[in-house]
Amino acid sequence: MTFNEFMDKVAARNSHEPEFMQAVKEVIETVWDVYEATPRYQQYNILERIVEPERVIQFAVPWMDDEGKVHVNRGYRVQFNSAIGPYKGGIRFHPSVNLSVMKFLGFEQTFKNSLTTLPMGGGKGGADFDARGRSDGEIMRFCHSFMAELYRHIGPNTDVPAGDIGVGRREIGYMFGYYKKLVNEFTGVFTGKGFEWGGSRIRPEATGFGVVYFTEEMLKVQGDSFKGKRVAISGFGNVAWGAVQKINELGGKVVTISGPDGYILDEDGISGEKVDYMTVLRASNNDRVKDYADKYPSAKFFPGKRPWEVPVDIAIPCATQNELNEEDAQNLINNKIMCLTEAANMPCTPKAIEMIQNAKILFAPGKAANAGGVATSGLEMTQNSNRLSWPAEKVNQELHAIMKGIHEACRTHGTQPDGYINYVKGANVAGFVKVANAMCDMGLI
Ligand code: GLU
């Protein structure tokens, strides 16, 4: 079978799922030579099996708003692969959630979790719920209704959800609390919990910290660092917030953040109390970044635009899938950026990645660069199993070591004959081999 024949076969089953097909193509094309060189993978039909989720759960989530009106949303949990550990991955509440998005995220999560070196399989869940403008009571009722179905499918040794877009500490609190009540057990069934009830130190910052640790390693290979670098960031959520903090700490200057309404450019740098203000913006439930420019006169707001037109040294998309396209990549190339790090899941279109790599610009795929979030979730699971709570320094140290290890794995599997490191290939091969080997070892289950 050729690569194209394989992709045609996958497309015949999933052609109506564009995000999932995009993620599959990117992984399979980079592991194809490993597959061809490993008879065992062919014997066990690993590729066809690895693109098939082990279980997909879809359910109705009925809830009542503050006016007494009844709504219904679609809830999902895709339990993608459990070859190396219990299903693990976040829950996303966003109107763009559908089965294709859930499957692409669960598929990516499988390889990301494998890269962390911790024993976690891949999963993802969510609902097409729009939290914008919703009251706290409405969010709570929604989370409870969501959990009234999901609780029977998860467990600390089965499937451990966490946060993602639209799901933070508050939502996890409502879901975890409801699970605890239904099952009558206090277990580590969720990660991203509050510190007072089993959460890990550093988990809120972990994805952003990890992204910056990974980028620092890439720069180090080139004999460079964050010192004095201008950085463009998109989004203003949890990932962006963690990344901004760590970039400031390492001597870089973040000049942009963005929202669905446009982006802000702050030539003075986003530091000090402005970083704390990002959490206020997020808590307002408005999904609007313009308020930042109203509050800080040093900032300019560009409605309806993306920050990739701003001249910077490093670009870090932290928002959502396919937020950086061909045109944006061309702007970044024209502005001679040295590094593009994906902090969101699949934020760059395939064409944008190809352009950046052809220009020999450093490029880090999300499944490697943003793995610090789920890695720290893995550390939270360890603490919960041990009924212990580690100090922040210990968690941070472990996280830093894991990110360095992921970088090294990418370097080992992705270095090209001309010395350019293809981090996409490196991450995919390193993540894939471990899962594929485990699947072969366990036979046809
Ligand atoms: N949603 C995050 C991700 O995309 C974190 C998942 C987790 O902590 O389980 O990796």
PDB file of all heavy atoms in Angstrom, residues 4-22:
ATOM      1  N   ASN A   4      -0.545   7.380  -0.474  1.00  0.00           N
ATOM      2  CA  ASN A   4      -1.784   7.945  -1.051  1.00  0.00           C
ATOM      3  C   ASN A   4      -2.942   6.953  -0.969  1.00  0.00           C
ATOM      4  O   ASN A   4      -4.082   7.337  -0.683  1.00  0.00           O
ATOM      5  CB  ASN A   4      -1.560   8.376  -2.499  1.00  0.00           C
ATOM      6  CG  ASN A   4      -0.753   9.668  -2.547  1.00  0.00           C
ATOM      7  OD1 ASN A   4      -0.756  10.446  -1.581  1.00  0.00           O
ATOM      8  ND2 ASN A   4      -0.038   9.876  -3.636  1.00  0.00           N
ATOM      9  N   GLU A   5      -2.646   5.680  -1.183  1.00  0.00           N
ATOM     10  CA  GLU A   5      -3.715   4.662  -1.081  1.00  0.00           C
ATOM     11  C   GLU A   5      -4.237   4.600   0.357  1.00  0.00           C
ATOM     12  O   GLU A   5      -5.440   4.507   0.595  1.00  0.00           O
ATOM     13  CB  GLU A   5      -3.184   3.287  -1.503  1.00  0.00           C
ATOM     14  CG  GLU A   5      -3.097   3.114  -3.003  1.00  0.00           C
ATOM     15  CD  GLU A   5      -2.239   1.918  -3.425  1.00  0.00           C
ATOM     16  OE1 GLU A   5      -1.695   1.201  -2.539  1.00  0.00           O
ATOM     17  OE2 GLU A   5      -2.085   1.715  -4.631  1.00  0.00           O
ATOM     18  N   PHE A   6      -3.296   4.684   1.289  1.00  0.00           N
ATOM     19  CA  PHE A   6      -3.707   4.652   2.691  1.00  0.00           C
ATOM     20  C   PHE A   6      -4.608   5.853   3.015  1.00  0.00           C
ATOM     21  O   PHE A   6      -5.674   5.703   3.618  1.00  0.00           O
ATOM     22  CB  PHE A   6      -2.486   4.657   3.620  1.00  0.00           C
ATOM     23  CG  PHE A   6      -2.860   4.760   5.071  1.00  0.00           C
ATOM     24  CD1 PHE A   6      -3.333   3.643   5.756  1.00  0.00           C
ATOM     25  CD2 PHE A   6      -2.791   5.973   5.748  1.00  0.00           C
ATOM     26  CE1 PHE A   6      -3.717   3.738   7.091  1.00  0.00           C
ATOM     27  CE2 PHE A   6      -3.171   6.076   7.077  1.00  0.00           C
ATOM     28  CZ  PHE A   6      -3.629   4.951   7.756  1.00  0.00           C
ATOM     29  N   MET A   7      -4.179   7.048   2.586  1.00  0.00           N
ATOM     30  CA  MET A   7      -4.966   8.249   2.889  1.00  0.00           C
ATOM     31  C   MET A   7      -6.348   8.187   2.221  1.00  0.00           C
ATOM     32  O   MET A   7      -7.335   8.631   2.798  1.00  0.00           O
ATOM     33  CB  MET A   7      -4.218   9.516   2.450  1.00  0.00           C
ATOM     34  CG  MET A   7      -3.070   9.924   3.364  1.00  0.00           C
ATOM     35  SD  MET A   7      -3.471  10.007   5.138  1.00  0.00           S
ATOM     36  CE  MET A   7      -4.729  11.260   5.172  1.00  0.00           C
ATOM     37  N   ASP A   8      -6.412   7.597   1.019  1.00  0.00           N
ATOM     38  CA  ASP A   8      -7.723   7.459   0.347  1.00  0.00           C
ATOM     39  C   ASP A   8      -8.648   6.572   1.173  1.00  0.00           C
ATOM     40  O   ASP A   8      -9.836   6.834   1.303  1.00  0.00           O
ATOM     41  CB  ASP A   8      -7.545   6.829  -1.049  1.00  0.00           C
ATOM     42  CG  ASP A   8      -6.951   7.827  -2.034  1.00  0.00           C
ATOM     43  OD1 ASP A   8      -6.924   9.037  -1.720  1.00  0.00           O
ATOM     44  OD2 ASP A   8      -6.487   7.373  -3.107  1.00  0.00           O
ATOM     45  N   LYS A   9      -8.074   5.546   1.744  1.00  0.00           N
ATOM     46  CA  LYS A   9      -8.855   4.622   2.555  1.00  0.00           C
ATOM     47  C   LYS A   9      -9.387   5.333   3.818  1.00  0.00           C
ATOM     48  O   LYS A   9     -10.536   5.173   4.209  1.00  0.00           O
ATOM     49  CB  LYS A   9      -7.958   3.438   2.960  1.00  0.00           C
ATOM     50  CG  LYS A   9      -8.724   2.196   3.236  1.00  0.00           C
ATOM     51  CD  LYS A   9      -7.819   0.979   3.249  1.00  0.00           C
ATOM     52  CE  LYS A   9      -8.647  -0.227   3.655  1.00  0.00           C
ATOM     53  NZ  LYS A   9      -7.864  -1.397   3.925  1.00  0.00           N
ATOM     54  N   VAL A  10      -8.511   6.128   4.446  1.00  0.00           N
ATOM     55  CA  VAL A  10      -8.939   6.864   5.650  1.00  0.00           C
ATOM     56  C   VAL A  10      -9.997   7.905   5.261  1.00  0.00           C
ATOM     57  O   VAL A  10     -11.004   8.092   5.955  1.00  0.00           O
ATOM     58  CB  VAL A  10      -7.737   7.563   6.339  1.00  0.00           C
ATOM     59  CG1 VAL A  10      -8.188   8.276   7.607  1.00  0.00           C
ATOM     60  CG2 VAL A  10      -6.654   6.554   6.682  1.00  0.00           C
ATOM     61  N   ALA A  11      -9.789   8.547   4.114  1.00  0.00           N
ATOM     62  CA  ALA A  11     -10.727   9.586   3.667  1.00  0.00           C
ATOM     63  C   ALA A  11     -12.111   8.996   3.374  1.00  0.00           C
ATOM     64  O   ALA A  11     -13.134   9.627   3.642  1.00  0.00           O
ATOM     65  CB  ALA A  11     -10.177  10.287   2.429  1.00  0.00           C
ATOM     66  N   ALA A  12     -12.128   7.772   2.847  1.00  0.00           N
ATOM     67  CA  ALA A  12     -13.417   7.159   2.511  1.00  0.00           C
ATOM     68  C   ALA A  12     -14.298   7.025   3.755  1.00  0.00           C
ATOM     69  O   ALA A  12     -15.524   7.110   3.677  1.00  0.00           O
ATOM     70  CB  ALA A  12     -13.180   5.790   1.878  1.00  0.00           C
ATOM     71  N   ARG A  13     -13.654   6.854   4.899  1.00  0.00           N
ATOM     72  CA  ARG A  13     -14.414   6.716   6.145  1.00  0.00           C
ATOM     73  C   ARG A  13     -14.646   8.043   6.853  1.00  0.00           C
ATOM     74  O   ARG A  13     -15.557   8.173   7.643  1.00  0.00           O
ATOM     75  CB  ARG A  13     -13.638   5.843   7.123  1.00  0.00           C
ATOM     76  CG  ARG A  13     -13.821   4.391   6.900  1.00  0.00           C
ATOM     77  CD  ARG A  13     -12.956   3.675   7.903  1.00  0.00           C
ATOM     78  NE  ARG A  13     -13.447   2.338   8.160  1.00  0.00           N
ATOM     79  CZ  ARG A  13     -12.814   1.477   8.940  1.00  0.00           C
ATOM     80  NH1 ARG A  13     -11.704   1.835   9.540  1.00  0.00           N
ATOM     81  NH2 ARG A  13     -13.313   0.282   9.144  1.00  0.00           N
ATOM     82  N   ASN A  14     -13.738   9.024   6.630  1.00  0.00           N
ATOM     83  CA  ASN A  14     -13.756  10.232   7.463  1.00  0.00           C
ATOM     84  C   ASN A  14     -13.734  11.536   6.669  1.00  0.00           C
ATOM     85  O   ASN A  14     -13.370  12.576   7.210  1.00  0.00           O
ATOM     86  CB  ASN A  14     -12.520  10.239   8.383  1.00  0.00           C
ATOM     87  CG  ASN A  14     -12.403   8.962   9.210  1.00  0.00           C
ATOM     88  OD1 ASN A  14     -13.145   8.750  10.149  1.00  0.00           O
ATOM     89  ND2 ASN A  14     -11.471   8.107   8.841  1.00  0.00           N
ATOM     90  N   SER A  15     -14.107  11.482   5.399  1.00  0.00           N
ATOM     91  CA  SER A  15     -13.920  12.660   4.545  1.00  0.00           C
ATOM     92  C   SER A  15     -14.716  13.864   5.036  1.00  0.00           C
ATOM     93  O   SER A  15     -14.394  15.005   4.729  1.00  0.00           O
ATOM     94  CB  SER A  15     -14.308  12.332   3.109  1.00  0.00           C
ATOM     95  OG  SER A  15     -15.645  11.908   3.116  1.00  0.00           O
ATOM     96  N   HIS A  16     -15.776  13.615   5.809  1.00  0.00           N
ATOM     97  CA  HIS A  16     -16.605  14.716   6.312  1.00  0.00           C
ATOM     98  C   HIS A  16     -16.006  15.311   7.592  1.00  0.00           C
ATOM     99  O   HIS A  16     -16.652  16.095   8.263  1.00  0.00           O
ATOM    100  CB  HIS A  16     -18.021  14.195   6.572  1.00  0.00           C
ATOM    101  CG  HIS A  16     -18.020  12.954   7.430  1.00  0.00           C
ATOM    102  ND1 HIS A  16     -17.490  11.760   6.982  1.00  0.00           N
ATOM    103  CD2 HIS A  16     -18.434  12.740   8.688  1.00  0.00           C
ATOM    104  CE1 HIS A  16     -17.582  10.856   7.944  1.00  0.00           C
ATOM    105  NE2 HIS A  16     -18.143  11.423   8.988  1.00  0.00           N
ATOM    106  N   GLU A  17     -14.771  14.920   7.918  1.00  0.00           N
ATOM    107  CA  GLU A  17     -14.130  15.422   9.142  1.00  0.00           C
ATOM    108  C   GLU A  17     -12.795  16.077   8.783  1.00  0.00           C
ATOM    109  O   GLU A  17     -11.726  15.477   8.943  1.00  0.00           O
ATOM    110  CB  GLU A  17     -13.940  14.267  10.139  1.00  0.00           C
ATOM    111  CG  GLU A  17     -15.274  13.723  10.634  1.00  0.00           C
ATOM    112  CD  GLU A  17     -15.148  12.439  11.447  1.00  0.00           C
ATOM    113  OE1 GLU A  17     -14.047  11.859  11.513  1.00  0.00           O
ATOM    114  OE2 GLU A  17     -16.168  12.013  12.001  1.00  0.00           O
ATOM    115  N   PRO A  18     -12.823  17.337   8.302  1.00  0.00           N
ATOM    116  CA  PRO A  18     -11.614  17.964   7.748  1.00  0.00           C
ATOM    117  C   PRO A  18     -10.486  18.143   8.765  1.00  0.00           C
ATOM    118  O   PRO A  18      -9.319  17.902   8.441  1.00  0.00           O
ATOM    119  CB  PRO A  18     -12.092  19.325   7.231  1.00  0.00           C
ATOM    120  CG  PRO A  18     -13.430  19.562   7.856  1.00  0.00           C
ATOM    121  CD  PRO A  18     -14.006  18.209   8.155  1.00  0.00           C
ATOM    122  N   GLU A  19     -10.793  18.544   9.979  1.00  0.00           N
ATOM    123  CA  GLU A  19      -9.719  18.749  10.973  1.00  0.00           C
ATOM    124  C   GLU A  19      -9.050  17.422  11.302  1.00  0.00           C
ATOM    125  O   GLU A  19      -7.828  17.344  11.437  1.00  0.00           O
ATOM    126  CB  GLU A  19     -10.250  19.390  12.263  1.00  0.00           C
ATOM    127  CG  GLU A  19     -10.757  20.820  12.117  1.00  0.00           C
ATOM    128  CD  GLU A  19     -12.198  20.909  11.678  1.00  0.00           C
ATOM    129  OE1 GLU A  19     -12.845  19.850  11.462  1.00  0.00           O
ATOM    130  OE2 GLU A  19     -12.706  22.039  11.521  1.00  0.00           O
ATOM    131  N   PHE A  20      -9.868  16.374  11.432  1.00  0.00           N
ATOM    132  CA  PHE A  20      -9.309  15.055  11.734  1.00  0.00           C
ATOM    133  C   PHE A  20      -8.421  14.574  10.585  1.00  0.00           C
ATOM    134  O   PHE A  20      -7.297  14.105  10.801  1.00  0.00           O
ATOM    135  CB  PHE A  20     -10.440  14.059  12.021  1.00  0.00           C
ATOM    136  CG  PHE A  20      -9.954  12.667  12.287  1.00  0.00           C
ATOM    137  CD1 PHE A  20      -9.071  12.407  13.327  1.00  0.00           C
ATOM    138  CD2 PHE A  20     -10.366  11.599  11.486  1.00  0.00           C
ATOM    139  CE1 PHE A  20      -8.596  11.118  13.566  1.00  0.00           C
ATOM    140  CE2 PHE A  20      -9.904  10.319  11.714  1.00  0.00           C
ATOM    141  CZ  PHE A  20      -9.017  10.076  12.758  1.00  0.00           C
ATOM    142  N   MET A  21      -8.881  14.751   9.354  1.00  0.00           N
ATOM    143  CA  MET A  21      -8.090  14.330   8.190  1.00  0.00           C
ATOM    144  C   MET A  21      -6.762  15.097   8.130  1.00  0.00           C
ATOM    145  O   MET A  21      -5.723  14.532   7.791  1.00  0.00           O
ATOM    146  CB  MET A  21      -8.884  14.544   6.888  1.00  0.00           C
ATOM    147  CG  MET A  21     -10.010  13.556   6.662  1.00  0.00           C
ATOM    148  SD  MET A  21      -9.472  11.829   6.622  1.00  0.00           S
ATOM    149  CE  MET A  21      -8.305  11.842   5.270  1.00  0.00           C
ATOM    150  N   GLN A  22      -6.826  16.377   8.456  1.00  0.00           N
ATOM    151  CA  GLN A  22      -5.619  17.224   8.453  1.00  0.00           C
ATOM    152  C   GLN A  22      -4.574  16.692   9.449  1.00  0.00           C
ATOM    153  O   GLN A  22      -3.391  16.573   9.137  1.00  0.00           O
ATOM    154  CB  GLN A  22      -6.027  18.662   8.813  1.00  0.00           C
ATOM    155  CG  GLN A  22      -4.904  19.682   8.809  1.00  0.00           C
ATOM    156  CD  GLN A  22      -5.390  21.081   9.236  1.00  0.00           C
ATOM    157  OE1 GLN A  22      -6.581  21.410   9.109  1.00  0.00           O
ATOM    158  NE2 GLN A  22      -4.503  21.907   9.755  1.00  0.00           N
TER     159      GLN A  22
END
